[in-house]
Amino acid sequence: MNVVRTRAGTPGSPSWYHGVVWIEQHPGGAEPGGLLASGAHFSPGARTAWHRCDHERVIRVLHGTGRVQRRGGKIHEIHTDDVIVVPAGEWHWHGAAPSAALSVHTVRQAGDPATATEWGAQVTDAEYLLPPISIFLPHQPADRIPEREPTW
């Protein structure tokens, strides 16, 4: 077991991100087959460019509201505690909603750092501002009884 304190994040490269994004690389299994973890904090409206990864990635929303889209698919709205599984090689982008910040944690298998992520074009405002599909379903209290007429 190894306990490592997380270091302060660094600003995301303007080549790969739009808006203010802070990235935290967590130390991990650098050898092939090990797991690597990272964190990202997106300011409202900030997002990644289109990209694809050499290995499947699991993204967990730690806090906030965001958006995610695979190429050719619809934009999905994401919320705290949602988990997104991105298959290896799938072009996609993710980021914060226009009026909310987003913090995520990502885990992936280690590979060659030179080929781990292939970056594409920036997501345009026209693409980003399309209305998302909301996957948020309001929770109904378990003890709620449907409205009934009084019986007196």
Side-chain angles (χ1 to χ4, degrees):
M1 177 183 302
N2 205 4
V3 177
V4 180
R5 302 285 177 230
T6 302
R7 290 173 269 140
T10 57
S13 167
S15 300
W16 301 337
Y17 299 94
H18 172 86
V20 178
V21 180
W22 286 86
I23 306 297
E24 298 168 348
Q25 293 295 333
H26 305 302
E31 67 279 347
L35 293 177
L36 293 177
S38 61
H41 308 281
F42 297 83
S43 64
R47 57 206 181 253
T48 67
W50 286 101
H51 62 286
R52 64 180 174 179
C53 308
D54 62 348
H55 289 92
E56 179 177 84
R57 292 187 186 218
V58 177
I59 303 169
R60 179 159 187 231
V61 179
L62 299 176
H63 179 76
T65 303
R67 293 178 171 197
V68 63
Q69 181 184 23
R70 67 182 169 139
R71 183 161 284 161
K74 297 191 181 282
I75 297 173
H76 291 271
E77 186 174 277
I78 55 177
H79 300 271
T80 302
D81 291 333
D82 285 347
V83 175
I84 300 95
V85 178
V86 182
E90 181 176 82
W91 283 99
H92 69 285
W93 66 267
H94 46 90
S99 60
L102 178 73
S103 292
V104 299
H105 187 251
T106 302
V107 177
R108 68 174 177 89
Q109 185 177 349
D112 181 354
T115 60
T117 304
E118 180 182 351
W119 292 94
Q122 290 286 346
V123 174
T124 66
D125 287 342
E127 291 173 306
Y128 172 75
L129 293 172
L130 289 171
I133 296 172
S134 178
I135 58 173
F136 178 74
L137 300 173
H139 177 68
Q140 295 293 329
D143 61 352
R144 183 179 166 119
I145 298 172
E147 299 279 51
R148 292 191 238 179
E149 288 187 32
T151 57
W152 40 57

